[in-house]
Amino acid sequence: MLTLAALPWVAAHRDPDAELLRLDGRSLTAAALDRAAAGVASRLEHGGVGAGHRVAVLCGNGLAFPPLYYGALRRGCVVAPISTASPPAEVARLLRALRARVLACDAENAGIAAAALELTATGCSRLVLHEDGDGVRARDALDLATLVEHPPADPEPLPPGAPAVILATSGTTGSPRRALHSHAGLLLNAGAVATEMLALSPADVQLGALPLAHSFGMSAVLNASLLAGAAVRLARRPDLATLQRLVGGGEVTVVQAVPTLLTRLAEASSVPWPGVRVCVVSGAPLPEGLAARLHRCLDGRLLERYGMTEVSPLTVREVPEDGGEAGDVGLPMRGVVVRVAGGAAEGELEAAAPSMFLRYDGDRAATAAALSGGLMRTGDLGRVGAGGRVTVTGRLKEVIVRGGNNVAAREVERLLETHPAVAEAAVLGMPDPDLGEEVAAALVLRPRSPGDVVAELERLCGEQLAQYKRPRVWHLLESLPRTASGKVRKGELRELLLERTPR
């Protein structure tokens, strides 16, 4: 039975010469990727690494990640991608928590990997994949050019329900957890994206700007593309100039990205995006005005999808030029159930889908709290309307309790984002000795914003919001701390604002 590990093998048998991965002037065909993955699996086998062992992968969006990822899966290992934004101390903590046997990385992150391993003292070894052949004489080194010459081999059969990948959750309001996924679950995730959502074909080229270490980039872009035979145009560093060239130059047909990246790209684009037949926004709520800006760039469809690291995709909708109803995330995808807990008209949303994760790695209590009766508590507040259409109204942990009154942070954020000077807004509760929590707003303003924007926003809130919902504390920032999926890290932001607040 097909598993996640066999995706390069399937692609190689479909069309061995298809250029699946492209990065600047280099590429990997389906056959080359399949052989490289087989070579990585062979190297792990010779190192005594086998089924069930954990392999952490620390790679950017280059040609090293796919062979290491699929090669470790092919060996029956459980892969744990790590963000390249992580400093050595954080990588070391993750390696200890994962009980990783190997830390596989690209040459660019080899120094961070070495520093992290010095801090762990757990016996975890390093494996460095060089894309250009430099440094391949080292004992812990692999060369991509050599790997692609590895003899082809059929992958060993693996149980579909076997653990495959550990993905860090966003941790927007607290510490991230480690969601353990099976081969079958992630394959169903990729299949839903490739067929029902995007209708991918070998004629498509996806933009590979999302971090491959995150579930969005790894599953919706990489896995889904291989499943459908589509290519991925990788962007090692997704700077604005590079993305403008790829999207505006007609090099991609499918763009999937988080709102922050799409906002910057749309604002900087002076020409339409030729050839882009579908654009998907996900990872965070759609900001006010972004839909209109994207529609000016697009001839194709604009979609918004809703899901989370533990279970995705859940719903999808076609976004009109005016953005549609606030909080609308569309209809559940095939086989997906979304409902309000306890049968209430509005409350916490629960979900079940074929792509459901297995459990939180090493955290039975968190797993038991999140899963009940085959459904997962999403932590999102919302309602389910006629025909199953889902509206998300806020986050359970982002409800601010001010003097006994509940304030939905997302409601206030949506209003602030209607002001033309506001590029980004985050609303959260800050400690207050009298009220328990006070409503605070952190803003990123657009360039050349006029005079006293805060005074204008105070007037706007006075006209549109109940007195207890209005922000009393305002902070102007250059940027908001965000996860790889574009969500604001509210816990980190709260600490930042506390440091700025006079004691």
Side-chain angles (χ1 to χ4, degrees), residues 284-355:
L286 191 70
E288 182 76 23
L290 178 56
R293 289 192 290 273
L294 289 173
H295 273 286
R296 286 195 290 270
C297 299
L298 287 168
D299 290 328
R301 304 165 67 205
L302 176 61
L303 304 178
E304 181 180 19
R305 81 166 199 170
Y306 166 62
M308 54 205 61
T309 303
E310 294 90 338
V311 52
S312 185
L314 291 173
T315 68
V316 66
R317 70 165 179 141
E318 189 140 1
V319 185
E321 190 168 347
D322 65 2
E325 180 188 347
D328 177 22
V329 293
L331 293 167
M333 300 186 71
R334 283 194 288 268
V336 172
V337 173
V338 181
R339 71 183 190 188
V340 179
E346 185 168 341
E348 185 179 11
L349 297 174
E350 299 177 325
S355 58

Side-chain angles (χ1 to χ4, degrees), residues 160-235:
V165 177
I166 296 174
L167 293 168
T169 64
S170 58
T172 52
T173 56
S175 300
R177 296 192 176 103
R178 301 185 304 277
L180 178 62
H181 287 265
S182 68
H183 282 267
L186 287 177
L187 198 59
L188 288 165
N189 177 317
V193 172
T195 57
E196 187 178 353
M197 184 181 298
L198 299 178
L200 286 176
S201 78
D204 281 309
V205 181
Q206 281 219 67
L207 177 65
L210 291 164
L212 296 178
H214 185 271
S215 58
F216 196 2
M218 185 202 74
S219 192
V221 176
L222 184 60
N223 291 341
S225 294
L226 261 67
L227 187 64
V232 179
R233 184 63 168 84
L234 294 167

Side-chain angles (χ1 to χ4, degrees), residues 108-155:
E108 187 173 3
N109 291 284
I112 294 175
L117 290 173
E118 286 184 6
L119 296 172
T120 60
T122 60
C124 180
S125 62
R126 186 181 70 161
L127 184 62
V128 185
L129 176 49
H130 294 262
E131 298 177 24
D132 55 11
D134 292 341
V136 295
R137 294 183 182 86
R139 292 179 59 188
D140 62 356
L142 288 171
D143 173 35
L144 186 58
T146 302
L147 283 176
V148 298
E149 299 299 326
H150 189 278
D154 293 343

Side-chain angles (χ1 to χ4, degrees), residues 53 59 68 83 148 154 192 232 346 359-360 389 414 452 473:
H53 290 152
C59 284
L68 291 171
S83 170
V148 298
D154 293 343
V232 179
E346 185 168 341
R359 59 184 178 275
Y360 291 118
R389 198 166 192 92
R414 287 196 187 101
D452 194 349
V473 182

